[in-house]
Each structure stands twice: as C-alpha cells, then as structure tokens.
Amino acid sequence: MAGQTLAQIRSLLDAAGLQPRHHYGQNFLIDLNLMRKLVAAADLSRTDTVLEVGAGTGSLTEMLLEQGVRVVAVEIDHGLQALLRNRLGDHPRCTLIQADALAGKHRVNPLVLTVLREQPPGDGGAYKLVANLPYQIATPLIMGLLMVKPRFERLTCTIQKEVAQRLAAPPRTEHYGPASVVIQILATITPLAFLPPQAFWPAPQVESVMVTIRPLPPADVNVADVPGFVDLVQRAFQQRRKKLRRLVRDYRDEPPALAAFHAAGITPDARPEELDPRAWRRLFDALRRLPTR
C-alpha cells in the first residue's frame, strides 16, 4: 500500500525547496500503520467520492487512490499544490484544488462543494471525508460538512485530542460547548485511536485522536432549520456563564418568549452548559417561530 515515509517526505520537500509551515498546521502523518488504519476505518467502496483536506505531499492521497476511489484533494499551500500537481496532476481519479477548504470561519468553500457535485459517487457509493485535518480548521470544517449538500455518509479523520473531547463532551463539563451540542444533534462520533505527537512530523505539541463521525438521517436529527439551530446555540454560548434569560431580549415580545421556555420544559435561569443537546432542540423548536427584534 502507498504512503510516504519521513525520509520520502523530507526528500520531496527538499527537492521543491519547501518546509513545513506552522501557519497552515502542516504536521504530516508519518506513521503508516496509523494511516492504513484511517483508510480502513473509512470503509471505502470503489464507487465512493472522497474529500481529503490538507493533502500535503500526497501520502494519504496516494493511499486513497490505491483503493480505487475518486479523490478531491484540497491544499491551501501553493508550494505543496505544485508538488501535488507534479505527482498526481494527470491521475484520472484525482482532482486537485488549491484553496482554503473554508470560506470564512464557519462555511465550507463553495468551490469545494461545486467540484464534489461534479464528481458524484457511482452506484452504491457515497461522499466521504478522509483526512489528517489541520488543527485550526477541524471544528468549523466538521460542523460545515454536516450541514452541506452533497450529504456526506462518513467523516474519518485525525483531529486534536482537545477537539475530540469538545465534540463528545457531556453537559456541565469543561469541554461542553456549541460544537458539542451541534455535533451530537447531527451525528455520532466514535474515537478509533490515539495518536502521539511522534506519529507526525514535525511533532505537534498536542496529542491527536482518530475519529469516525457518522451524520444521522434527517428524520433522526429532527431539526427544521439547522442553520437557525446552530445560530441560537452559538449566540447562547457567547456568554456561557450567564443565564439563558438574556436570550429573551432577542425577541420582539418577551412574554411569548418566556412562555416558549416553559413550553420546552426549560427554566430561563439555566445556563447554556446545563442544557443537553435534546433540551437545546426543544428550546429551538419552541422559539423558532417567534419574531425577533
């Protein structure tokens, strides 16, 4: 199976006059056993279309192509993009995109979505993410991919351990926040393996986790307006220590807003971190038809 050793990655970068750039979160996965585990966990079919974000020198890209899938590989770094084009530009099942995977802080780049739509999965296939994600974009990218069309069947990726803790955190804990609520309403998350800093080059200052995230069917999500739900949760957590009563001020008429809290079985004196994801869904359903200021 393909995959580049540390010596091979160093050689490729040296030949191109490149170095890892901390600004882009370039920590290359060099433990090929863990990379194979990542690919195996994606449960790939040859008719899948796979998105890879942060393609780097193409180590994982080549391993994915060996599985027979279509790969849309996104790389923001101009130098690495040129390196990828030299190695994989002529591959019939590989599309390279030189771009930021995000448009702004919380939205998937429309260019990426357009290219994905142009390369739909074949019969029995699905859209999947398989990636060693740059740490700084992991949370907004995962949240964004759970909300877009085309719909992803599975996200399999490496992320910072703290990010994984945040996504899976229960209420009333240190890591519980808006990402916890949104992810747990939209998907299930399963940790697969812990990755020590030595699994990467350069070695990061943090531990990492390999996870599989499976989006839930829309009927199980049961949220009529997902962007509106996300907005409510994020607004509430901007002041996580303050009571939810302050949200009432966002609505034109305060008495109906207070009544909506009670209809949802939630006291306005609760704080954001005290509500579990299902309670947030009830509150949103009760509030969403009320006119805002």
Side-chain angles (χ1 to χ4, degrees), residues 2 12 18 30 42 72 98 121 135 140 163 166 170 188 203 213 250 277 286:
L12 287 169
L18 301 174
I30 57 174
V72 175
Q98 196 277 303
Y135 290 148
V163 171
R166 193 180 308 140
T188 60
I213 300 170
D250 294 343

Side-chain angles (χ1 to χ4, degrees), residues 132-154:
N132 171 33
L133 288 180
Y135 290 148
Q136 64 267 36
I137 69 167
T139 299
L141 181 67
I142 289 170
M143 291 178 64
L145 290 176
L146 291 176
M147 297 167 58
V148 299
K149 293 182 180 178
R151 179 177 169 79
F152 280 72
E153 188 269 341
R154 184 183 311 205

Side-chain angles (χ1 to χ4, degrees), residues 61-62 65-66 68-71 85 87-96:
T61 319
E62 293 169 356
L65 290 169
E66 197 172 73
V69 301
R70 293 175 181 266
V71 177
R85 291 196 182 281
R87 292 179 63 82
L88 299 170
D90 294 329
H91 197 290
R93 286 184 283 103
C94 185
T95 301
L96 302 172

Side-chain angles (χ1 to χ4, degrees), residues 147 223-232 234 284:
M147 297 167 58
V223 174
D225 174 14
V226 172
F229 174 76
V230 174
D231 178 69
L232 173 68
Q234 289 179 331
F284 174 71

